[in-house]
Amino acid sequence: MNNIKLNPRPGKLIIYNQPNFRGETIEIFNDVKDATSWNLPSAFSIRTVRGCWFLYQKPDFEGAKILLEEGAVELANIWGEEIAEDNNEEGPTVIPTVIGSIRRAVKDWSLTELDLFTEFNGMGDRTTFYDEIEKISTFGIPLSTLSMQVHSGIWLVFEEPLYHGNSYMVEPGQYACPEAWGGVEPFIASLKPVKMGGLKVENPNAGKIIVYEKPFFEGKQMELETDVFCFIGEAERDKESTLCQTYHFETVGSIKVLGGLWVGYEKSGFEGHQYLLEEGEYREWNEWGGYDEQLRSLQFIEVEASSPVMILFTETNFGEKGANIEVLGPILNLRDTEYGLKTQSINVLSGVWVAYEEADFTGAQYILGKGLYSSYQDWGAKDFRISSLQPVLVVSLNFTIVFFSETEFQGTTHVFEKDTVQFMDEFSPKSCKVLSGNWVVYDGEDFTGKQYVLEEGMYPNLITMGCATDTHIKSSKTVGFNFTQSNIELFERTDFKGKKIELHSEALNLALFGYNTHIFSVQVNGGTWIAYEFSNYRGCQILLQPGDIPNWHEFTGWHRIGSVRPLIQKLVYFRIRNRSTGALMTFTGELNDLKLVRVQALEPTGLDDQIWSYQDGVIKNKLAEDCCLDVVGSLITTGSRLGVSVLQNKDVHLWRFLPNGTIFSDQTTIWESPVQCNQALLWAN
């Protein structure tokens, strides 16, 4: 085990100086030996993005400590401070919180091991554990534990089954008696190691990375938003290629990944050992898992929101003679499956995956995007051995936008997850990050004034948001989901009269296409659109939802539309519930015979067979995302039976959701108004 290569991951912790994840933020990527200068109130909030961390009461990682696992948490009086009584008329003074230091507790997927002993000082019967177990007992009686030894990892041990009762955190070391770990009773009835979460990306579409010539972010630096075919040193300038992205950079000593998912390669041209680079900081080469200091090329990886699916084949070219296995999620050890460790071709149907040479996500790693890999050479391996694998997931957030009081994401921070009719006094955003969903911000309160539509991404200043430099944003609103095909009609007269222009996609310059830009009425028949006063998406802008605008000038104050485009909506998953019965639209049947698959209204199951998605007019089930909703039989009427089809080129495959709950195509209706697509059930993958 000592010779197996571990794959370290970056850490990230965000501290907000107010509850509910508001106020100024402190982003932490590495250990902090002395954090006593930070000004924190008694109540604040923390979002642990990657890794598990310790908060210490004193500097230099001493004193009482609190464990933070991945997720969000509200904290108050963490060290048990009391409210100080003052004799002045202003009343009691709350003692601020002082964090002494912060340390990352878990950095990789290294093997965890713990021994429990029935006698003091490591004597008696020994039981070894490598992973979590919810009930430790012999013939129903909890196991007597008088001492323990933690060989590796950080563990939580509990005095009752199912992780209940008194709990204690233990780090590597020997514990001669229950008092050594703070135990009250001589029993351990359940336990689990503290582990890293899965691979994830927060800003999949905002690829940005900074490389530094020396370790610890020193020396020459370069900010990049595109692939690097080769970093060229002074001695290699004569090898420079005019066909590919090459940069004059002697060595890569440290890296900051600001957004997106990246892969670093040992050699130029995306060759050699591969290193997955998640968002975070890498102070030196061993922190990205390098075999040595060489990193000669970089590649940005697109991560889609659909459910990850891949198929492994034991034969080259997806041969049918051998075995194959469909993978939907992480597998710690393929040896434990009937498939085994031999993989010679791979079909990645969706998502981005990382395959590992060894079990438990260790050893050489191979990053696999959507596509076909006919042999192990195609994914950069030297042989056919794959022992474990896992997908990279997009962080699932509700609608989330983060505003900053200064440019370049500096200053006071406010995080919003819902409509805000009026910003706090004196808060005027100068930059923002749209983490999830589409938003509209306004320069007036109560969603009035000029509009600026913001899609997912990073906006380092007001100009990138489409605003003038002196704009004061005062309110913000989410853009809801729309499940109709994009269609807009522009008329040369009021009340939808005269010549019309019908569009289903973007028009960058209406005049260039030969259209009259003087528009007097508009009908939005489907989709969500953005209209701009001038061509090339310039000038004032306004968000348009399905509906009629009989007088464009009265509605906007404009006499023209220079350009228009549909707003891109990310893939979302939802359940479709019958409003009267509560039944859910359900995929039933076996995938190996699509003719027998039916779509029915059944009681909730909590499974993927009742989760659907909508894109470009097509409805798909999460179990079969290469198939679409179809009407069974040649006679198409209201009440026709529903199934699925691999074809997606017929009108009957195109559906619309109406505000009253009806789902229909031009050919038939699934259900009349009792059908409900409840937005409270929507979530992003």
Side-chain angles (χ1 to χ4, degrees):
M1 183 68 188
N2 294 333
N3 295 325
I4 292 179
K5 175 185 175 293
L6 299 177
N7 293 301
R9 296 180 60 204
K12 184 177 180 180
L13 185 75
I14 306 174
I15 299 179
Y16 301 79
N17 71 349
Q18 295 179 19
N20 300 316
F21 311 100
R22 297 178 180 272
E24 296 185 1
T25 61
I26 303 170
E27 290 193 351
I28 301 158
F29 298 94
N30 297 289
D31 297 351
V32 180
K33 294 186 67 175
D34 190 344
T36 55
S37 62
W38 297 347
N39 183 23
L40 294 173
S42 59
F44 58 101
S45 47
I46 292 181
R47 193 184 304 275
T48 305
V49 181
R50 286 182 184 83
C52 303
W53 299 73
F54 282 133
L55 301 185
Y56 289 86
Q57 190 175 15
K58 299 179 181 180
D60 297 317
F61 318 122
E62 295 182 352
K65 59 180 179 286
I66 296 173
L67 177 67
L68 298 174
E69 298 185 80
E70 293 185 10
V73 63
E74 302 271 356
L75 298 174
N77 298 322
I78 58 176
W79 310 124
E81 292 104 330
E82 298 292 334
I83 296 178
E85 294 291 342
D86 287 349
N87 294 325
N88 57 44
E89 295 181 356
E90 295 181 359
T93 300
V94 177
I95 299 176
T97 297
V98 176
I99 297 175
S101 49
I102 299 177
R103 178 171 67 90
R104 279 190 68 192
V106 180
K107 301 180 181 181
D108 52 42
W109 287 293
S110 55
L111 181 67
T112 55
E113 183 178 356
L114 174 146
D115 292 336
L116 300 184
F117 299 90
T118 58
E119 302 294 340
F120 294 109
N121 299 309
M123 305 298 289
D125 295 335
R126 179 182 69 180
T127 307
T128 301
F129 299 91
Y130 299 99
D131 208 339
E132 64 181 41
I133 181 168
E134 63 183 20
K135 188 174 182 181
I136 305 172
S137 62
T138 303
F139 301 109
I141 302 174
L143 184 67
S144 175
T145 302
L146 295 177
S147 61
M148 73 171 70
Q149 181 174 0
V150 180
H151 296 280
S152 59
I154 297 169
W155 292 74
L156 297 175
V157 296
F158 301 81
E159 291 183 351
E160 296 181 13
L162 303 175
Y163 317 119
H164 293 157
N166 294 323
S167 63
Y168 312 98
M169 181 175 57
V170 290
E171 298 184 73
Q174 296 181 340
Y175 300 81
C177 60
E179 289 79 8
W181 65 78
V184 176
E185 300 291 338
F187 298 105
I188 299 296
S190 56
L191 51 81
K192 60 181 178 179
V194 177
K195 293 185 176 182
M196 294 284 295
L199 300 172
K200 66 188 71 170
V201 57
E202 300 169 84
N203 303 295
N205 302 316
K208 185 177 290 189
I209 189 170
I210 303 176
V211 294
Y212 297 81
E213 197 171 35
K214 297 181 180 180
F216 293 92
F217 318 117
E218 295 183 353
K220 180 182 175 181
Q221 70 179 66
M222 182 183 297
E223 184 174 300
L224 302 164
E225 296 183 5
T226 186
D227 297 349
V228 177
F229 185 81
C230 182
F231 289 111
I232 297 177
E234 290 294 330
E236 302 174 294
R237 284 181 179 265
D238 59 332
K239 300 179 182 178
E240 182 174 354
S241 170
T242 59
L243 300 178
C244 301
Q245 292 280 7
T246 58
Y247 293 87
H248 297 145
F249 210 73
E250 196 67 33
T251 59
V252 177
S254 49
I255 297 173
K256 290 183 180 179
V257 179
L258 304 183
L261 186 75
W262 296 75
V263 181
Y265 293 86
E266 176 193 20
K267 301 178 181 179
S268 61
F270 317 126
E271 299 285 348
H273 294 301
Q274 304 174 27
Y275 311 119
L276 185 74
L277 300 174
E278 298 176 84
E279 293 147 327
E281 295 185 353
Y282 304 82
R283 297 173 296 180
E284 49 188 342
W285 61 270
N286 56 8
E287 292 194 352
W288 63 69
Y291 286 84
D292 52 36
E293 299 180 6
Q294 294 296 316
L295 192 147
R296 306 298 292 170
S297 54
L298 284 171
Q299 190 173 35
F300 174 70
I301 304 297
E302 296 278 356
V303 183
E304 58 184 3
S306 60
S307 298
V309 181
M310 71 187 308
I311 304 175
L312 308 181
F313 298 83
T314 59
E315 301 298 320
T316 58
N317 296 309
F318 324 104
E320 297 181 356
K321 292 183 178 180
N324 66 77
I325 182 173
E326 184 178 70
V327 184
L328 304 177
I331 296 180
L332 285 168
N333 195 341
L334 278 165
R335 188 187 296 275
D336 297 334
T337 69
E338 296 181 358
Y339 175 79
L341 304 181
K342 181 180 178 181
T343 298
Q344 297 201 88
S345 56
I346 298 176
N347 182 2
V348 179
L349 298 172
S350 58
V352 173
W353 292 79
V354 182
Y356 301 86
E357 183 183 21
E358 304 294 340
D360 301 310
F361 314 135
T362 60
Q365 52 185 338
Y366 312 104
I367 290 78
L368 305 169
K370 184 176 180 180
L372 299 171
Y373 302 81
S374 300
S375 67
Y376 60 78
Q377 291 92 346
D378 289 348
W379 60 81
K382 295 180 179 179
D383 59 38
F384 52 69
R385 180 184 178 88
I386 290 180
S387 299
S388 56
L389 41 85
Q390 63 175 318
V392 180
L393 301 178
V394 177
V395 174
S396 297
L397 296 172
N398 296 320
F399 285 94
T400 306
I401 188 169
V402 184
F403 290 107
F404 299 84
S405 61
E406 304 295 337
T407 60
E408 300 295 336
F409 320 117
Q410 301 297 312
T412 302
T413 302
H414 287 275
V415 181
F416 297 124
E417 295 182 348
K418 57 184 178 181
D419 299 349
T420 304
V421 297
Q422 180 180 349
F423 286 1
M424 298 177 62
D425 293 341
E426 301 181 356
F427 179 72
S428 181
K430 297 293 190 299
S431 58
C432 74
K433 295 180 181 180
V434 181
L435 301 183
S436 183
N438 296 319
W439 292 74
V440 184
V441 298
Y442 302 80
D443 62 7
E445 299 174 357
D446 297 315
F447 319 126
T448 60
K450 291 185 177 179
Q451 301 181 16
Y452 308 93
V453 181
L454 302 177
E455 298 169 84
E456 291 184 11
M458 297 190 288
Y459 301 83
N461 52 54
L462 287 170
I463 294 176
T464 57
M465 297 164 65
C467 310
T469 55
D470 59 350
T471 301
H472 294 279
I473 297 172
K474 297 182 179 180
S475 57
S476 61
K477 192 174 186 180
T478 60
V479 179
F481 296 108
N482 185 290
F483 299 111
T484 55
Q485 291 178 269
S486 298
N487 178 277
I488 189 171
E489 295 177 342
L490 314 177
F491 296 82
E492 67 175 359
R493 297 181 185 177
T494 58
D495 297 317
F496 322 115
K497 296 178 181 178
K499 184 178 69 176
K500 74 175 180 180
I501 305 168
E502 184 174 2
L503 299 171
H504 299 275
S505 59
E506 65 178 353
L508 185 64
N509 189 330
L510 285 173
L512 189 63
F513 292 159
Y515 296 127
N516 185 353
T517 60
H518 292 278
I519 303 300
F520 288 87
S521 56
V522 174
Q523 282 185 324
V524 181
N525 301 316
T528 302
W529 292 76
I530 310 172
Y532 299 83
E533 190 174 9
F534 303 112
S535 63
N536 300 307
Y537 309 139
R538 295 178 298 116
C540 295
Q541 55 182 279
I542 188 168
L543 187 78
L544 301 176
Q545 304 276 18
D548 296 340
I549 305 172
N551 192 314
W552 180 251
H553 176 65
E554 289 183 0
F555 184 73
T556 64
W558 315 350
H559 284 288
R560 58 183 293 144
I561 294 178
S563 49
V564 64
R565 68 182 177 92
L567 181 64
I568 297 175
Q569 177 176 287
K570 69 186 294 184
L571 182 68
V572 293
Y573 291 96
F574 50 85
R575 297 183 179 91
I576 301 175
R577 185 185 304 275
N578 186 284
R579 191 175 291 146
S580 61
T581 66
L584 296 178
M585 195 166 86
T586 308
F587 178 100
T588 63
E590 297 294 333
L591 288 174
N592 54 12
D593 193 348
L594 294 180
K595 294 181 180 180
L596 298 180
V597 169
R598 293 292 179 266
V599 175
Q600 300 174 316
L602 301 177
E603 293 298 314
T605 64
L607 303 176
D608 288 352
D609 58 0
Q610 295 180 333
I611 296 178
W612 303 83
S613 65
Y614 180 96
Q615 201 163 43
D616 299 327
V618 175
I619 299 176
K620 298 181 180 181
N621 186 267
K622 199 170 184 181
L623 288 180
E625 294 191 299
D626 55 346
C627 302
C628 66
L629 190 68
D630 192 10
V631 177
V632 176
S634 57
L635 181 61
I636 301 176
T637 63
T638 298
S640 296
R641 292 182 301 170
L642 296 174
V644 297
S645 171
V646 294
L647 300 175
Q648 299 177 19
N649 56 0
K650 298 180 180 179
D651 290 340
V652 73
H653 296 147
L654 303 178
W655 304 85
R656 286 186 283 170
F657 289 61
L658 295 186
N660 68 358
T662 304
I663 304 174
F664 76 99
S665 73
D666 292 336
Q667 308 295 320
T668 188
T669 301
I670 294 181
W671 286 319
E672 297 292 346
S673 56
V675 177
Q676 176 186 22
C677 176
N678 189 342
Q679 286 211 5
L681 296 174
L682 288 168
W683 67 92
N685 188 25

